[in-house]
PDB file of all heavy atoms in Angstrom:
ATOM      1  N   LEU A 281      -2.636  16.672  17.628  1.00  0.00           N
ATOM      2  CA  LEU A 281      -3.945  17.320  17.535  1.00  0.00           C
ATOM      3  C   LEU A 281      -4.620  16.996  16.211  1.00  0.00           C
ATOM      4  O   LEU A 281      -5.831  16.746  16.170  1.00  0.00           O
ATOM      5  CB  LEU A 281      -3.775  18.840  17.676  1.00  0.00           C
ATOM      6  CG  LEU A 281      -3.532  19.383  19.086  1.00  0.00           C
ATOM      7  CD1 LEU A 281      -3.046  20.828  19.029  1.00  0.00           C
ATOM      8  CD2 LEU A 281      -4.796  19.280  19.929  1.00  0.00           C
ATOM      9  N   SER A 282      -3.858  16.982  15.123  1.00  0.00           N
ATOM     10  CA  SER A 282      -4.427  16.687  13.804  1.00  0.00           C
ATOM     11  C   SER A 282      -5.058  15.303  13.780  1.00  0.00           C
ATOM     12  O   SER A 282      -6.175  15.113  13.285  1.00  0.00           O
ATOM     13  CB  SER A 282      -3.346  16.790  12.728  1.00  0.00           C
ATOM     14  OG  SER A 282      -2.785  18.086  12.696  1.00  0.00           O
ATOM     15  N   ARG A 283      -4.353  14.321  14.317  1.00  0.00           N
ATOM     16  CA  ARG A 283      -4.877  12.950  14.348  1.00  0.00           C
ATOM     17  C   ARG A 283      -6.106  12.847  15.250  1.00  0.00           C
ATOM     18  O   ARG A 283      -7.045  12.091  14.957  1.00  0.00           O
ATOM     19  CB  ARG A 283      -3.772  11.982  14.787  1.00  0.00           C
ATOM     20  CG  ARG A 283      -2.759  11.721  13.682  1.00  0.00           C
ATOM     21  CD  ARG A 283      -1.419  11.201  14.193  1.00  0.00           C
ATOM     22  NE  ARG A 283      -0.504  10.918  13.085  1.00  0.00           N
ATOM     23  CZ  ARG A 283       0.145  11.851  12.389  1.00  0.00           C
ATOM     24  NH1 ARG A 283      -0.010  13.131  12.699  1.00  0.00           N
ATOM     25  NH2 ARG A 283       0.947  11.521  11.390  1.00  0.00           N
ATOM     26  N   HIS A 284      -6.094  13.600  16.327  1.00  0.00           N
ATOM     27  CA  HIS A 284      -7.259  13.626  17.216  1.00  0.00           C
ATOM     28  C   HIS A 284      -8.478  14.177  16.482  1.00  0.00           C
ATOM     29  O   HIS A 284      -9.590  13.618  16.584  1.00  0.00           O
ATOM     30  CB  HIS A 284      -6.944  14.475  18.449  1.00  0.00           C
ATOM     31  CG  HIS A 284      -8.157  14.819  19.277  1.00  0.00           C
ATOM     32  ND1 HIS A 284      -8.809  13.893  20.056  1.00  0.00           N
ATOM     33  CD2 HIS A 284      -8.845  15.989  19.415  1.00  0.00           C
ATOM     34  CE1 HIS A 284      -9.840  14.468  20.656  1.00  0.00           C
ATOM     35  NE2 HIS A 284      -9.882  15.736  20.284  1.00  0.00           N
ATOM     36  N   PHE A 285      -8.295  15.257  15.713  1.00  0.00           N
ATOM     37  CA  PHE A 285      -9.419  15.854  14.993  1.00  0.00           C
ATOM     38  C   PHE A 285      -9.911  14.936  13.879  1.00  0.00           C
ATOM     39  O   PHE A 285     -11.121  14.870  13.620  1.00  0.00           O
ATOM     40  CB  PHE A 285      -9.019  17.218  14.434  1.00  0.00           C
ATOM     41  CG  PHE A 285      -8.811  18.273  15.483  1.00  0.00           C
ATOM     42  CD1 PHE A 285      -7.771  19.185  15.381  1.00  0.00           C
ATOM     43  CD2 PHE A 285      -9.658  18.351  16.579  1.00  0.00           C
ATOM     44  CE1 PHE A 285      -7.574  20.150  16.356  1.00  0.00           C
ATOM     45  CE2 PHE A 285      -9.474  19.309  17.556  1.00  0.00           C
ATOM     46  CZ  PHE A 285      -8.425  20.209  17.447  1.00  0.00           C
ATOM     47  N   VAL A 286      -9.009  14.224  13.207  1.00  0.00           N
ATOM     48  CA  VAL A 286      -9.424  13.259  12.187  1.00  0.00           C
ATOM     49  C   VAL A 286     -10.321  12.196  12.816  1.00  0.00           C
ATOM     50  O   VAL A 286     -11.406  11.871  12.285  1.00  0.00           O
ATOM     51  CB  VAL A 286      -8.201  12.606  11.508  1.00  0.00           C
ATOM     52  CG1 VAL A 286      -8.645  11.415  10.652  1.00  0.00           C
ATOM     53  CG2 VAL A 286      -7.448  13.616  10.646  1.00  0.00           C
ATOM     54  N   ALA A 287      -9.894  11.645  13.950  1.00  0.00           N
ATOM     55  CA  ALA A 287     -10.687  10.614  14.631  1.00  0.00           C
ATOM     56  C   ALA A 287     -12.013  11.174  15.128  1.00  0.00           C
ATOM     57  O   ALA A 287     -13.055  10.519  15.034  1.00  0.00           O
ATOM     58  CB  ALA A 287      -9.879  10.031  15.798  1.00  0.00           C
ATOM     59  N   GLN A 288     -11.983  12.390  15.656  1.00  0.00           N
ATOM     60  CA  GLN A 288     -13.204  13.021  16.175  1.00  0.00           C
ATOM     61  C   GLN A 288     -14.211  13.283  15.059  1.00  0.00           C
ATOM     62  O   GLN A 288     -15.406  13.001  15.205  1.00  0.00           O
ATOM     63  CB  GLN A 288     -12.839  14.328  16.880  1.00  0.00           C
ATOM     64  CG  GLN A 288     -14.004  15.017  17.583  1.00  0.00           C
ATOM     65  CD  GLN A 288     -13.570  16.310  18.224  1.00  0.00           C
ATOM     66  OE1 GLN A 288     -13.269  17.290  17.548  1.00  0.00           O
ATOM     67  NE2 GLN A 288     -13.518  16.337  19.548  1.00  0.00           N
ATOM     68  N   LEU A 289     -13.728  13.811  13.932  1.00  0.00           N
ATOM     69  CA  LEU A 289     -14.625  14.106  12.810  1.00  0.00           C
ATOM     70  C   LEU A 289     -15.153  12.830  12.161  1.00  0.00           C
ATOM     71  O   LEU A 289     -16.265  12.804  11.635  1.00  0.00           O
ATOM     72  CB  LEU A 289     -13.891  14.968  11.785  1.00  0.00           C
ATOM     73  CG  LEU A 289     -13.569  16.392  12.259  1.00  0.00           C
ATOM     74  CD1 LEU A 289     -12.533  17.046  11.365  1.00  0.00           C
ATOM     75  CD2 LEU A 289     -14.844  17.231  12.312  1.00  0.00           C
ATOM     76  N   ASN A 290     -14.362  11.766  12.207  1.00  0.00           N
ATOM     77  CA  ASN A 290     -14.836  10.469  11.733  1.00  0.00           C
ATOM     78  C   ASN A 290     -15.982   9.963  12.598  1.00  0.00           C
ATOM     79  O   ASN A 290     -17.004   9.470  12.096  1.00  0.00           O
ATOM     80  CB  ASN A 290     -13.682   9.472  11.729  1.00  0.00           C
ATOM     81  CG  ASN A 290     -14.144   8.040  11.475  1.00  0.00           C
ATOM     82  OD1 ASN A 290     -14.288   7.256  12.413  1.00  0.00           O
ATOM     83  ND2 ASN A 290     -14.396   7.699  10.216  1.00  0.00           N
ATOM     84  N   LYS A 291     -15.846  10.114  13.901  1.00  0.00           N
ATOM     85  CA  LYS A 291     -16.868   9.637  14.835  1.00  0.00           C
ATOM     86  C   LYS A 291     -18.129  10.496  14.771  1.00  0.00           C
ATOM     87  O   LYS A 291     -19.252   9.975  14.771  1.00  0.00           O
ATOM     88  CB  LYS A 291     -16.306   9.643  16.263  1.00  0.00           C
ATOM     89  CG  LYS A 291     -17.282   9.192  17.325  1.00  0.00           C
ATOM     90  CD  LYS A 291     -16.653   9.234  18.707  1.00  0.00           C
ATOM     91  CE  LYS A 291     -17.653   8.812  19.780  1.00  0.00           C
ATOM     92  NZ  LYS A 291     -17.058   8.905  21.147  1.00  0.00           N
ATOM     93  N   GLU A 292     -17.965  11.823  14.696  1.00  0.00           N
ATOM     94  CA  GLU A 292     -19.109  12.729  14.772  1.00  0.00           C
ATOM     95  C   GLU A 292     -19.801  12.928  13.438  1.00  0.00           C
ATOM     96  O   GLU A 292     -21.020  13.101  13.384  1.00  0.00           O
ATOM     97  CB  GLU A 292     -18.652  14.089  15.315  1.00  0.00           C
ATOM     98  CG  GLU A 292     -18.171  14.039  16.761  1.00  0.00           C
ATOM     99  CD  GLU A 292     -17.632  15.386  17.234  1.00  0.00           C
ATOM    100  OE1 GLU A 292     -17.567  16.325  16.409  1.00  0.00           O
ATOM    101  OE2 GLU A 292     -17.290  15.497  18.425  1.00  0.00           O
ATOM    102  N   GLN A 293     -19.029  12.945  12.334  1.00  0.00           N
ATOM    103  CA  GLN A 293     -19.618  13.260  11.037  1.00  0.00           C
ATOM    104  C   GLN A 293     -19.467  12.146  10.002  1.00  0.00           C
ATOM    105  O   GLN A 293     -19.970  12.276   8.887  1.00  0.00           O
ATOM    106  CB  GLN A 293     -18.984  14.543  10.473  1.00  0.00           C
ATOM    107  CG  GLN A 293     -19.162  15.772  11.345  1.00  0.00           C
ATOM    108  CD  GLN A 293     -18.600  17.021  10.681  1.00  0.00           C
ATOM    109  OE1 GLN A 293     -18.594  17.156   9.459  1.00  0.00           O
ATOM    110  NE2 GLN A 293     -18.122  17.952  11.485  1.00  0.00           N
ATOM    111  N   GLY A 294     -18.760  11.087  10.370  1.00  0.00           N
ATOM    112  CA  GLY A 294     -18.563  10.002   9.429  1.00  0.00           C
ATOM    113  C   GLY A 294     -17.564  10.323   8.332  1.00  0.00           C
ATOM    114  O   GLY A 294     -17.554   9.648   7.290  1.00  0.00           O
ATOM    115  N   LEU A 295     -16.703  11.337   8.538  1.00  0.00           N
ATOM    116  CA  LEU A 295     -15.694  11.665   7.535  1.00  0.00           C
ATOM    117  C   LEU A 295     -14.603  10.599   7.519  1.00  0.00           C
ATOM    118  O   LEU A 295     -14.440   9.844   8.484  1.00  0.00           O
ATOM    119  CB  LEU A 295     -15.093  13.044   7.832  1.00  0.00           C
ATOM    120  CG  LEU A 295     -16.083  14.224   7.770  1.00  0.00           C
ATOM    121  CD1 LEU A 295     -15.387  15.535   8.110  1.00  0.00           C
ATOM    122  CD2 LEU A 295     -16.728  14.306   6.386  1.00  0.00           C
ATOM    123  N   ALA A 296     -13.852  10.552   6.437  1.00  0.00           N
ATOM    124  CA  ALA A 296     -12.868   9.487   6.245  1.00  0.00           C
ATOM    125  C   ALA A 296     -11.807   9.487   7.345  1.00  0.00           C
ATOM    126  O   ALA A 296     -11.339  10.544   7.772  1.00  0.00           O
ATOM    127  CB  ALA A 296     -12.185   9.656   4.886  1.00  0.00           C
ATOM    128  N   LEU A 297     -11.444   8.285   7.788  1.00  0.00           N
ATOM    129  CA  LEU A 297     -10.414   8.122   8.819  1.00  0.00           C
ATOM    130  C   LEU A 297      -9.076   7.948   8.104  1.00  0.00           C
ATOM    131  O   LEU A 297      -8.670   6.834   7.773  1.00  0.00           O
ATOM    132  CB  LEU A 297     -10.737   6.906   9.693  1.00  0.00           C
ATOM    133  CG  LEU A 297      -9.909   6.734  10.964  1.00  0.00           C
ATOM    134  CD1 LEU A 297     -10.123   7.898  11.917  1.00  0.00           C
ATOM    135  CD2 LEU A 297     -10.298   5.424  11.667  1.00  0.00           C
ATOM    136  N   ARG A 298      -8.402   9.075   7.851  1.00  0.00           N
ATOM    137  CA  ARG A 298      -7.167   9.067   7.065  1.00  0.00           C
ATOM    138  C   ARG A 298      -5.962   9.400   7.940  1.00  0.00           C
ATOM    139  O   ARG A 298      -6.072  10.158   8.901  1.00  0.00           O
ATOM    140  CB  ARG A 298      -7.269  10.070   5.917  1.00  0.00           C
ATOM    141  CG  ARG A 298      -8.441   9.801   4.973  1.00  0.00           C
ATOM    142  CD  ARG A 298      -8.587  10.917   3.951  1.00  0.00           C
ATOM    143  NE  ARG A 298      -7.413  11.004   3.081  1.00  0.00           N
ATOM    144  CZ  ARG A 298      -7.146  12.066   2.316  1.00  0.00           C
ATOM    145  NH1 ARG A 298      -7.951  13.116   2.326  1.00  0.00           N
ATOM    146  NH2 ARG A 298      -6.074  12.068   1.548  1.00  0.00           N
ATOM    147  N   GLU A 299      -4.821   8.860   7.576  1.00  0.00           N
ATOM    148  CA  GLU A 299      -3.572   9.122   8.298  1.00  0.00           C
ATOM    149  C   GLU A 299      -2.881  10.324   7.661  1.00  0.00           C
ATOM    150  O   GLU A 299      -3.156  10.703   6.524  1.00  0.00           O
ATOM    151  CB  GLU A 299      -2.697   7.868   8.241  1.00  0.00           C
ATOM    152  CG  GLU A 299      -1.523   7.783   9.196  1.00  0.00           C
ATOM    153  CD  GLU A 299      -1.761   8.346  10.565  1.00  0.00           C
ATOM    154  OE1 GLU A 299      -2.315   7.659  11.429  1.00  0.00           O
ATOM    155  OE2 GLU A 299      -1.354   9.501  10.736  1.00  0.00           O
ATOM    156  N   MET A 300      -1.968  10.953   8.420  1.00  0.00           N
ATOM    157  CA  MET A 300      -1.210  12.111   7.921  1.00  0.00           C
ATOM    158  C   MET A 300       0.173  11.645   7.465  1.00  0.00           C
ATOM    159  O   MET A 300       0.811  10.825   8.135  1.00  0.00           O
ATOM    160  CB  MET A 300      -1.041  13.153   9.031  1.00  0.00           C
ATOM    161  CG  MET A 300      -2.305  13.561   9.753  1.00  0.00           C
ATOM    162  SD  MET A 300      -3.350  14.695   8.816  1.00  0.00           S
ATOM    163  CE  MET A 300      -2.296  16.115   8.694  1.00  0.00           C
ATOM    164  N   THR A 301       0.655  12.180   6.339  1.00  0.00           N
ATOM    165  CA  THR A 301       2.032  11.896   5.934  1.00  0.00           C
ATOM    166  C   THR A 301       2.991  12.769   6.738  1.00  0.00           C
ATOM    167  O   THR A 301       2.591  13.784   7.336  1.00  0.00           O
ATOM    168  CB  THR A 301       2.240  12.188   4.439  1.00  0.00           C
ATOM    169  OG1 THR A 301       2.039  13.591   4.211  1.00  0.00           O
ATOM    170  CG2 THR A 301       1.285  11.380   3.580  1.00  0.00           C
ATOM    171  N   ALA A 302       4.263  12.389   6.743  1.00  0.00           N
ATOM    172  CA  ALA A 302       5.269  13.185   7.456  1.00  0.00           C
ATOM    173  C   ALA A 302       5.379  14.579   6.861  1.00  0.00           C
ATOM    174  O   ALA A 302       5.564  15.568   7.594  1.00  0.00           O
ATOM    175  CB  ALA A 302       6.620  12.469   7.401  1.00  0.00           C
ATOM    176  N   ASP A 303       5.252  14.703   5.535  1.00  0.00           N
ATOM    177  CA  ASP A 303       5.324  16.013   4.885  1.00  0.00           C
ATOM    178  C   ASP A 303       4.142  16.891   5.300  1.00  0.00           C
ATOM    179  O   ASP A 303       4.280  18.106   5.487  1.00  0.00           O
ATOM    180  CB  ASP A 303       5.345  15.861   3.371  1.00  0.00           C
ATOM    181  CG  ASP A 303       6.694  15.351   2.862  1.00  0.00           C
ATOM    182  OD1 ASP A 303       7.659  15.370   3.655  1.00  0.00           O
ATOM    183  OD2 ASP A 303       6.766  14.936   1.695  1.00  0.00           O
ATOM    184  N   ALA A 304       2.966  16.283   5.438  1.00  0.00           N
ATOM    185  CA  ALA A 304       1.789  17.040   5.874  1.00  0.00           C
ATOM    186  C   ALA A 304       1.984  17.540   7.303  1.00  0.00           C
ATOM    187  O   ALA A 304       1.664  18.691   7.625  1.00  0.00           O
ATOM    188  CB  ALA A 304       0.537  16.172   5.768  1.00  0.00           C
ATOM    189  N   ASP A 305       2.516  16.672   8.177  1.00  0.00           N
ATOM    190  CA  ASP A 305       2.819  17.095   9.551  1.00  0.00           C
ATOM    191  C   ASP A 305       3.780  18.275   9.562  1.00  0.00           C
ATOM    192  O   ASP A 305       3.583  19.260  10.281  1.00  0.00           O
ATOM    193  CB  ASP A 305       3.433  15.934  10.346  1.00  0.00           C
ATOM    194  CG  ASP A 305       2.405  14.914  10.789  1.00  0.00           C
ATOM    195  OD1 ASP A 305       1.214  15.285  10.891  1.00  0.00           O
ATOM    196  OD2 ASP A 305       2.791  13.758  11.037  1.00  0.00           O
ATOM    197  N   ALA A 306       4.833  18.153   8.758  1.00  0.00           N
ATOM    198  CA  ALA A 306       5.857  19.207   8.729  1.00  0.00           C
ATOM    199  C   ALA A 306       5.260  20.525   8.249  1.00  0.00           C
ATOM    200  O   ALA A 306       5.556  21.592   8.821  1.00  0.00           O
ATOM    201  CB  ALA A 306       7.011  18.788   7.829  1.00  0.00           C
ATOM    202  N   LEU A 307       4.422  20.475   7.211  1.00  0.00           N
ATOM    203  CA  LEU A 307       3.821  21.704   6.706  1.00  0.00           C
ATOM    204  C   LEU A 307       2.896  22.334   7.738  1.00  0.00           C
ATOM    205  O   LEU A 307       2.921  23.551   7.954  1.00  0.00           O
ATOM    206  CB  LEU A 307       3.060  21.426   5.411  1.00  0.00           C
ATOM    207  CG  LEU A 307       2.378  22.639   4.757  1.00  0.00           C
ATOM    208  CD1 LEU A 307       3.406  23.729   4.465  1.00  0.00           C
ATOM    209  CD2 LEU A 307       1.638  22.238   3.490  1.00  0.00           C
ATOM    210  N   LEU A 308       2.076  21.510   8.398  1.00  0.00           N
ATOM    211  CA  LEU A 308       1.177  22.043   9.424  1.00  0.00           C
ATOM    212  C   LEU A 308       1.967  22.699  10.548  1.00  0.00           C
ATOM    213  O   LEU A 308       1.550  23.729  11.100  1.00  0.00           O
ATOM    214  CB  LEU A 308       0.297  20.923   9.988  1.00  0.00           C
ATOM    215  CG  LEU A 308      -0.823  20.403   9.075  1.00  0.00           C
ATOM    216  CD1 LEU A 308      -1.491  19.197   9.707  1.00  0.00           C
ATOM    217  CD2 LEU A 308      -1.855  21.491   8.799  1.00  0.00           C
ATOM    218  N   GLN A 309       3.099  22.098  10.909  1.00  0.00           N
ATOM    219  CA  GLN A 309       3.903  22.649  12.007  1.00  0.00           C
ATOM    220  C   GLN A 309       4.586  23.959  11.632  1.00  0.00           C
ATOM    221  O   GLN A 309       4.984  24.714  12.516  1.00  0.00           O
ATOM    222  CB  GLN A 309       4.953  21.630  12.448  1.00  0.00           C
ATOM    223  CG  GLN A 309       4.374  20.473  13.261  1.00  0.00           C
ATOM    224  CD  GLN A 309       5.454  19.527  13.730  1.00  0.00           C
ATOM    225  OE1 GLN A 309       6.091  18.856  12.931  1.00  0.00           O
ATOM    226  NE2 GLN A 309       5.667  19.480  15.037  1.00  0.00           N
ATOM    227  N   THR A 310       4.745  24.232  10.354  1.00  0.00           N
ATOM    228  CA  THR A 310       5.442  25.457   9.947  1.00  0.00           C
ATOM    229  C   THR A 310       4.490  26.559   9.511  1.00  0.00           C
ATOM    230  O   THR A 310       4.915  27.692   9.284  1.00  0.00           O
ATOM    231  CB  THR A 310       6.413  25.172   8.785  1.00  0.00           C
ATOM    232  OG1 THR A 310       5.692  24.603   7.687  1.00  0.00           O
ATOM    233  CG2 THR A 310       7.499  24.201   9.219  1.00  0.00           C
TER     234      THR A 310
END
């Protein structure tokens, strides 16, 4: 979902298309 929102916000608002680190994924999941 996080990657989907990054891509969506890039398309709709021109925000940066950035990847998530494994630590960021883990923190979001907890």
Side-chain angles (χ1 to χ4, degrees):
L281 283 166
S282 300
R283 285 159 178 76
H284 167 72
F285 291 140
V286 169
Q288 186 181 70
L289 292 164
N290 170 261
K291 179 180 179 182
E292 294 176 356
Q293 300 184 31
L295 297 179
L297 190 63
R298 302 173 63 196
E299 195 37 83
M300 309 283 296
T301 64
D303 286 347
D305 283 337
L307 180 57
L308 287 173
Q309 285 183 294
T310 57

